[in-house]
Amino acid sequence: MSSNKKYWKSVEELNENSSIVDALRSNEFVEEIPTDSFLGNADKLNATGTSRRDFLKFVGFSTAAATLAACEGPVHKSIPYVVQPESVIPGVADYYATTVFDGYDFANVLVKTRDGRPIKIENNKTAGATFSANARVHASILGLYDNYRIKQPTIKGKTADFDKVSNAISKALADAKSAGKQVVLLTPTIASPTTFKLIAEFIAANPTAKHVMYDAVSSSAALDAYQQAFGTRGLVDYDLSKADVVVGIGADFLGDWQGGGYDKGYASKRVPKNGKMSKHFQFEANMTLSGASADKRVPMSNYQQIQALLTVYGVVTGTGVSGNVDAKYKDAVSKAAQQLKAAGSKGVLLCGIDDKNAQLLALAINAALTSEAYTTAGTRLVRQGSNAAIAQVLQEMNAGNVGVLITSHVNPVYSLPKSYGFEAAMKKVPTSVFIGLRSDETAVASSIVIGSNHYLESWGDYSLLKGSYALAQPTIRPLFSANKQFEDVLLALTGRKNLSYYDYLKANFPVVSGGLSWGKVLHDGVSGTYAIGQSTGVAVGDAVTALSAAKSEGPYELNLYSKVGMGDGQHANNPWLQEFPDPITRVSWDNYVTVSKADADKLGLVNVNVANGGLNGSYVNLTVGSAKLEKVPVIIQPGQAPGTIGLSFGYGKKEGLKEEMQIGSNAFVLYQNFKSSLPVSISKADGEHEFACVQLHKTLMGRGDIVKETTLEIFRTEDASKWNVAPMVSLDHSPVKAVEVDLWDSFDRSTGHHFNLSIDLNACTGCGACVIACHAENNVPVVGKSEVRRSRDMHWLRIDRYYSSETTFEGDNEKKENFDGLTGDKGSLGGFLELESASENPQVAFQPVMCQHCNHAPCETVCPVAATSHSRQGQNHMAYNRCVGTRYCANNCPYKVRRFNWFLYNNNDEFDFHMNDDLGKMVLNPDVNVRSRGVMEKCSMCIQMTQATILEAKRSGREVRADEFETACSAACSSGAMKFGDVNNKDSEVASFLKDERMYHLLEHVGTKPNVMYHVKVRNV
């Protein structure tokens, strides 16, 4: 029997006289289709009829209109290869070995490309590849796709082709030559033998020309000392894997000191083996990565560091020299000096004091020790700048003696103090030529601007260490055809426009490579030999006398430094680095003055937490000589030496950057005479600054099962059950180990692959390379300062930083365990409040935390739609298309590692970063989808990488090798703190780590059974 029921979609349909319903029922499209724009005048068409072609236009448009009406998103057409390149297999990555050197950062790397697009930087692990990528090198690939790059040459602001530009420069060079005026070629440090040859030919063609190298962050004092001692302008490449005692005085060697790259050798001696590990003393003003990793850190001013250096020199050399060390530092300095001397050839001293005499003393101390870390090391050629040379250039420019100034990849208008007047001096030069990536401050002040190629678009060669050789090759065709790399410009200016730099480089290769094979070096990226460093004694001359005459100046001392994320500032337009939280302060999107708590109290400076969890701080005004910086925000920094303040370089840029990146204060304004330590006047300013700080919890606060640590003595003499205590629970009224109690049914995971990630807290230096590598591999979005401040950062991997409340974490534990009652001097009520404040000189612990991929995951049991589930291989999966964003999983996760997409971060003008323009999107990894609004995401343990490794082994007809599996973070970790692999393969490293007596899991008592393991931190105190 049929039904007579009447159905309707809306109440309006019940109105029989509704014109709206009739129109919608009879018309396919609600609005009139704009055929005029496709077919011209409709009346004329009706009068003359339509052709078959016009009819097909109508039909084609109707089909397209229907498609567009059904879809909100735009249609993107893919264009297939007409002839597919033999080297490109769709869906399969290619890797190219190359070398990075931008005048500041350097590394031997592999570049991962997909379908001709470079998408990720990897460390080159070929024998002879000495330098690993830091966070900035990993992030530099995003700079290739920077939409703010120069795309066309200009003359006085008007676009021109390269021929016109090169002719204009050639004419200016001829005019300078005839007028007897100088031609200055100003570049950053160049470590390329072939580029040096080309520059020499340019100077030969222009006899009044000279080449000056300029480092924005100067190493001139150390270079001058090394040159005086050994006749070569270079730096010692210390091998810290050969040092049992390391004394650092003002040298952040785990940061950017002498270019960095010392973490691998250092970490190899910090992991206890056979009951032994190195001992590290650090004397410094700012809290640095090196100080955070030290066994004994002493905060002291630059003046006191000089006195400490003199004392160590006297003890090691036996000359009786003694510095005027403050009484409160004497014991620590004496102990460091005595242990360094006792270590002999197994000791090394690293000095970062900006004074030639101090650097000479450091060389002399290491020579007296016959330090293996010093005598068997190579010579670094990665810094060549001269303070005297740049001062001479300024003098000549101001005198009107310079006819042509060519600046390449340097920005002195920004990075020289305003008092130097470089921009004003440029106006006295008839022709100023800029060659670089972006239209920065120097480009704006130049009359001729040429866009340069990115290093991933360029050919080159490098000798980063004396005697070594490496090639750099392009991994993509230049994105902007009008741009030229610096060497191609020089070839054009020496009358060789038709000669490419590739041909020039290959022709010069036999001369500079020492008979190496072009094909092999190009394939490997490097050759494996380099010259051994100096081992002879060092004449200190009058250095001791000069240093003994040093005086403490003013009540406050400014210590300028380069930040791990920003370096010298050339990556200021990189959103990955801007959003990267500083490892020490955990602040992103800012630079700031760091002050001690004691000085903050004197000056009335505060940091306060507001209702939404954000951190606010006071402003200060700074004055160094005649230079001033106003309204610089303040971070009260535990461990900052009293009487000193810190401020980082790299911020405050305005030109060639997106508006979001134009942040912070330009510390170069205060960089007088290239001294990183200067007397400063400081005063409080009005207002309150809003920080984007991702970690406000600054004490360990009894979370001993999160970061476990012990001393070397206890580790060596006590059973593991004493220092790696297993959490206990009650079962049938009896205490049992928590890991032996299970609320879930366990599965047999002994067959197939089962992945684990191992993290050694002794080897982790907090450098953050893993964070940026994770960003690149997994298409992690950038959300901006406002969202980070709301605790909505999207990092899949974070590096937690903990401070002790007492001078040591053990002191925290003792205080906590000895509370007696609630109130009183030893009561827990006041005691726990005291533990909420970090010590004036705290111990520091870094701990990388990501999804723990629990075998008994709390997130999986609460998901109402089964969007998150566990795999047989040990990975916790996320099915994004199932996720409805309840966030139950995030609430149930004890590790707080899940991230919620509050917004759509790509194709959204509110988040105008690299995911919002077609050029920036080229860096995205096609193996990982871009998540949308309303879904949860978190670390996937790089499942795309593990599956690619399995498929590659299957394709080759073999088993996966023992340590072949990697994740983005483990591959990026140059210190070896992170190791990834298959625990079912008994030959793998992680299988052995799982049985190590230092191994533990986070929150073991919860019973989540994670697949990420940690290793107890051991301190040599």
Side-chain angles (χ1 to χ4, degrees):
M1 180 178 175
S2 62
S3 172
N4 293 322
K5 283 184 179 181
K6 184 175 182 180
Y7 295 90
W8 65 90
K9 290 184 178 179
S10 67
V11 176
E12 186 67 26
E13 289 187 42
L14 297 176
N15 183 357
E16 296 181 357
N17 299 319
S18 174
S19 60
I20 297 175
V21 172
D22 289 340
L24 291 173
R25 186 183 293 123
S26 58
N27 294 335
E28 181 180 0
F29 303 112
V30 178
E31 297 180 358
E32 183 180 355
I33 296 174
T35 55
D36 288 357
S37 61
F38 282 78
L39 299 178
N41 190 309
D43 294 336
K44 184 177 180 181
L45 285 171
N46 290 333
T48 59
T50 59
S51 66
R52 179 174 181 273
R53 184 178 180 184
D54 293 330
F55 172 75
L56 291 176
K57 284 183 181 180
F58 271 116
V59 174
F61 176 71
S62 298
T63 306
T67 304
L68 289 172
C71 303
E72 291 184 6
V75 175
H76 294 281
K77 296 180 180 179
S78 59
I79 302 174
Y81 288 115
V82 177
V83 179
Q84 180 177 318
E86 292 181 5
S87 60
V88 174
I89 302 174
V92 177
D94 290 314
Y95 292 84
Y96 296 90
T98 192
T99 297
V100 180
F101 183 50
D102 59 11
Y104 191 74
D105 293 312
F106 47 91
N108 307 118
V109 300
L110 299 178
V111 181
K112 179 182 179 181
T113 67
R114 282 291 301 270
D115 301 326
R117 288 184 299 115
I119 61 171
K120 191 167 183 288
I121 301 295
E122 305 273 9
N123 286 323
N124 187 348
K125 298 180 180 178
T126 304
T130 309
F131 300 110
S132 299
N134 59 21
R136 294 186 297 270
V137 172
H138 279 288
S140 65
I141 196 163
L142 187 55
L144 171 66
Y145 305 115
D146 185 353
N147 210 26
Y148 277 64
R149 285 178 57 186
I150 298 170
K151 303 176 180 67
Q152 188 76 28
T154 61
I155 300 176
K156 295 183 179 179
K158 296 182 179 179
T159 58
D161 59 35
F162 181 70
D163 286 341
K164 187 174 181 180
V165 166
S166 62
N167 290 337
I169 300 172
S170 296
K171 183 179 183 304
L173 292 172
D175 292 343
K177 185 177 180 180
S178 62
K181 290 196 172 184
Q182 290 185 7
V183 174
V184 175
L185 188 58
L186 187 63
T187 72
T189 292
I190 290 175
S192 166
T194 302
T195 303
F196 273 129
K197 179 176 182 290
L198 185 53
I199 289 172
E201 292 170 357
F202 173 81
I203 292 174
N206 299 276
T208 61
K210 67 176 180 179
H211 176 213
V212 175
M213 287 183 279
Y214 161 60
D215 298 325
V217 181
S218 175
S219 296
S220 195
L223 291 164
D224 293 344
Y226 194 91
Q227 188 170 19
Q228 178 177 315
F230 305 120
T232 301
R233 194 161 183 81
L235 301 167
V236 183
D237 183 47
Y238 294 97
D239 185 357
L240 299 186
S241 68
K242 300 184 183 301
D244 290 339
V245 176
V246 178
V247 177
I249 301 182
D252 183 17
F253 56 89
L254 297 180
D256 287 349
W257 178 75
Q258 294 194 176
Y262 293 106
D263 51 342
K264 183 178 181 180
Y266 174 81
S268 70
K269 298 290 285 188
R270 298 295 291 168
V271 177
K273 297 174 184 174
N274 302 319
K276 295 181 179 180
M277 62 181 286
S278 64
K279 182 68 176 283
H280 176 195
F281 296 89
Q282 187 76 7
F283 303 92
E284 61 184 16
N286 301 336
M287 173 68 83
T288 67
L289 292 183
S290 302
S293 296
D295 296 306
K296 178 64 176 177
R297 177 184 180 271
V298 181
M300 55 170 56
S301 67
N302 184 69
Y303 168 75
Q304 284 296 323
Q305 291 171 33
I306 293 173
Q307 304 311 310
L309 180 66
L310 286 167
T311 301
V312 172
Y313 174 78
V315 171
V316 170
T317 60
T319 55
V321 174
S322 180
N324 183 27
V325 179
D326 194 289
K328 61 184 176 181
Y329 306 132
K330 274 190 176 180
D331 183 58
V333 172
S334 177
K335 188 178 291 186
Q338 294 295 341
Q339 292 194 26
L340 184 63
K341 183 177 182 179
S345 63
K346 293 296 183 180
V348 66
L349 181 136
L350 310 174
C351 178
I353 300 171
D354 262 342
D355 187 288
K356 177 182 174 181
N357 296 312
Q359 295 297 328
L360 283 171
L361 251 65
L363 296 176
I365 289 169
N366 289 319
L369 291 169
T370 62
S371 166
E372 292 180 24
Y374 164 77
T375 59
T376 61
T379 301
R380 290 191 175 197
L381 303 176
V382 295
R383 297 288 187 270
Q384 296 287 304
S386 169
N387 296 348
I390 192 68
Q392 179 66 28
V393 166
L394 269 165
Q395 184 179 336
E396 296 291 344
M397 289 167 64
N398 281 315
N401 297 332
V402 177
V404 179
L405 172 68
I406 302 176
T407 57
S408 172
H409 295 87
V410 290
N411 187 6
V413 172
Y414 160 75
S415 58
L416 280 173
K418 301 294 183 189
S419 59
Y420 280 50
F422 193 88
E423 185 175 5
M426 283 183 69
K427 294 176 180 178
K428 299 176 183 179
V429 179
T431 303
S432 53
V433 182
F434 173 86
I435 305 169
L437 291 173
R438 297 169 193 84
S439 185
D440 58 26
E441 288 78 1
T442 302
V444 170
S446 299
S447 54
I448 297 176
V449 174
I450 302 173
S452 179
N453 291 343
H454 192 268
Y455 74 84
L456 292 171
E457 303 168 318
S458 305
W459 285 98
D461 64 351
Y462 298 104
S463 180
L464 302 178
L465 290 172
K466 188 176 181 181
S468 71
Y469 189 76
L471 279 175
Q473 61 176 316
T475 58
I476 188 173
R477 187 184 296 274
L479 296 177
F480 309 114
S481 58
N483 289 354
K484 300 287 182 182
Q485 75 177 85
F486 169 62
E487 289 82 359
D488 281 319
V489 176
L490 289 186
L491 284 171
L493 296 180
T494 51
R496 292 170 285 182
K497 287 185 181 179
N498 296 325
L499 178 65
S500 71
Y501 184 60
Y502 166 75
D503 293 327
Y504 184 89
L505 174 67
K506 194 168 184 180
N508 194 50
F509 175 80
V511 179
V512 296
S513 67
L516 298 172
S517 163
W518 169 269
K520 179 169 175 53
V521 178
L522 190 63
H523 175 271
D524 295 346
V526 294
S527 67
T529 59
Y530 62 91
I532 299 301
Q534 305 292 339
S535 59
T536 57
V538 177
V540 295
D542 298 325
V544 173
T545 304
L547 288 174
S548 298
K551 295 180 181 179
S552 179
E553 299 181 71
Y556 290 102
E557 173 187 286
L558 173 65
N559 286 273
L560 299 168
Y561 67 98
S562 56
K563 230 181 184 186
V564 173
M566 203 50 58
D568 64 350
Q570 59 182 293
H571 298 290
N573 207 39
N574 192 312
W576 287 350
L577 292 174
Q578 290 283 11
E579 191 145 300
F580 171 66
D582 182 76
I584 300 295
T585 64
R586 309 298 287 137
V587 173
S588 63
W589 293 98
D590 257 319
N591 73 331
Y592 34 77
V593 161
T594 55
V595 301
S596 68
K597 181 67 166 62
D599 290 333
D601 291 342
K602 289 180 187 176
L603 296 165
L605 308 176
V606 296
N607 281 157
V608 294
N609 298 335
V610 294
N612 70 350
L615 177 70
N616 291 0
S618 303
Y619 286 110
V620 293
N621 297 328
L622 303 177
T623 304
V624 174
S626 61
K628 294 182 180 180
L629 269 185
E630 296 184 344
K631 299 205 74 170
V632 186
V634 171
I635 288 287
I636 299 174
Q637 175 62 57
Q640 184 77 32
T644 71
I645 66 173
L647 180 64
S648 70
F649 295 117
Y651 291 82
K653 299 185 77 171
K654 299 299 181 186
E655 301 292 343
L657 278 74
K658 287 188 176 183
E659 184 178 353
E660 294 88 345
M661 315 292 180
Q662 298 174 21
I663 57 175
S665 302
N666 183 6
F668 284 110
V669 170
L670 306 178
Y671 195 32
Q672 305 294 319
N673 300 318
F674 299 98
K675 293 289 185 182
S676 58
S677 295
L678 297 154
V680 64
S681 297
I682 179 172
S683 60
K684 185 177 180 180
D686 295 333
E688 190 173 73
H689 185 77
E690 295 184 346
F691 289 105
C693 183
V694 300
Q695 183 173 328
L696 304 181
H697 191 119
K698 295 182 173 63
T699 64
L700 194 62
M701 272 295 292
R703 301 176 72 183
D705 53 350
I706 297 291
V707 175
K708 290 188 178 182
E709 66 169 48
T710 188
T711 65
L712 182 62
E713 182 64 24
I714 294 174
F715 172 77
R716 193 164 44 198
T717 58
E718 300 282 355
D719 187 80
S721 61
K722 300 289 186 182
W723 47 263
N724 189 7
V725 179
M728 308 294 284
V729 296
S730 178
L731 179 66
D732 296 332
H733 306 290
S734 298
V736 296
K737 291 183 179 180
V739 294
E740 297 175 358
V741 180
D742 227 333
L743 297 178
W744 286 271
D745 291 332
S746 292
F747 297 90
D748 179 16
R749 298 185 175 90
S750 61
T751 58
H753 302 296
H754 190 79
F755 299 120
N756 269 212
L757 178 64
S758 169
I759 302 174
D760 195 324
L761 299 183
N762 263 58
C764 180
T765 63
C767 71
C770 55
V771 176
I772 301 299
C774 177
H775 248 301
E777 175 67 29
N778 295 297
N779 302 333
V780 177
V782 174
V783 301
K785 180 177 179 178
S786 178
E787 292 301 298
V788 173
R789 181 172 165 81
R790 291 178 170 88
S791 301
R792 293 175 178 174
D793 62 291
M794 295 299 294
H795 294 102
W796 284 12
L797 163 63
R798 69 176 191 262
I799 303 179
D800 287 339
R801 182 266 301 122
Y802 294 100
Y803 291 141
S804 66
S805 176
E806 303 297 304
T807 54
T808 64
F809 285 111
E810 185 58 34
D812 288 3
N813 292 333
E814 290 176 5
K815 183 171 184 176
K816 173 171 63 72
E817 290 166 4
N818 292 325
F819 288 151
D820 184 13
L822 283 175
T823 58
D825 293 340
K826 295 185 178 180
S828 61
L829 195 62
F832 275 118
L833 286 175
E834 290 175 5
L835 283 173
E836 291 181 6
S837 298
S839 166
E840 289 185 2
N841 182 28
Q843 280 188 341
V844 184
F846 295 113
Q847 184 176 55
V849 180
M850 66 294 290
C851 175
Q852 302 292 292
H853 295 270
C854 310
N855 289 322
H856 294 162
C859 57
E860 296 169 10
T861 59
V862 296
C863 181
V865 292
T868 182
S869 59
H870 211 68
S871 79
R872 187 179 185 86
Q873 296 177 341
Q875 293 153 311
N876 176 266
H877 293 331
M878 276 298 304
Y880 298 125
N881 60 339
R882 291 185 66 89
C883 180
V884 295
T886 63
R887 289 181 283 159
Y888 294 164
C889 56
N891 292 333
N892 218 39
C893 175
Y895 308 103
K896 302 306 170 192
V897 290
R898 288 177 164 261
R899 304 289 175 259
F900 181 67
N901 283 270
W902 291 92
F903 301 99
L904 183 68
Y905 297 114
N906 63 307
N907 294 327
N908 188 337
D909 290 340
E910 294 297 319
F911 302 94
D912 189 14
F913 304 110
H914 67 289
M915 287 189 181
N916 201 48
D917 63 76
D918 290 338
L919 190 61
K921 289 177 186 175
M922 288 179 71
V923 82
L924 297 179
N925 183 358
D927 293 331
V928 181
N929 66 341
V930 177
R931 284 74 63 188
S932 188
R933 180 185 181 185
V935 303
M936 299 297 304
E937 60 180 80
K938 50 90 197 175
C939 162
S940 68
M941 209 174 260
C942 291
I943 186 172
Q944 71 280 1
M945 294 179 67
T946 57
Q947 294 309 302
T949 302
I950 293 170
L951 291 173
E952 174 60 26
K954 185 181 290 186
R955 188 180 68 84
S956 302
R958 59 174 176 82
E959 292 185 354
V960 179
R961 291 184 288 270
D963 295 311
E964 190 174 355
F965 287 113
E966 281 189 315
T967 57
C969 55
S970 68
C973 184
S974 56
S975 68
M978 291 183 173
K979 298 289 186 181
F980 178 79
D982 178 8
V983 292
N984 286 343
N985 186 332
K986 302 309 177 186
D987 295 328
S988 66
E989 282 187 295
V990 290
S992 63
F993 291 151
L994 193 61
K995 300 174 182 178
D996 193 290
E997 60 183 0
R998 288 201 297 134
M999 190 281 294
Y1000 73 99
H1001 294 108
L1002 292 192
L1003 303 177
E1004 282 179 317
H1005 61 278
V1006 178
T1008 54
K1009 296 189 180 300
N1011 283 316
V1012 177
M1013 69 183 97
Y1014 293 83
H1015 294 268
V1016 174
K1017 186 174 182 67
V1018 180
R1019 294 184 188 270
N1020 191 356
V1021 294

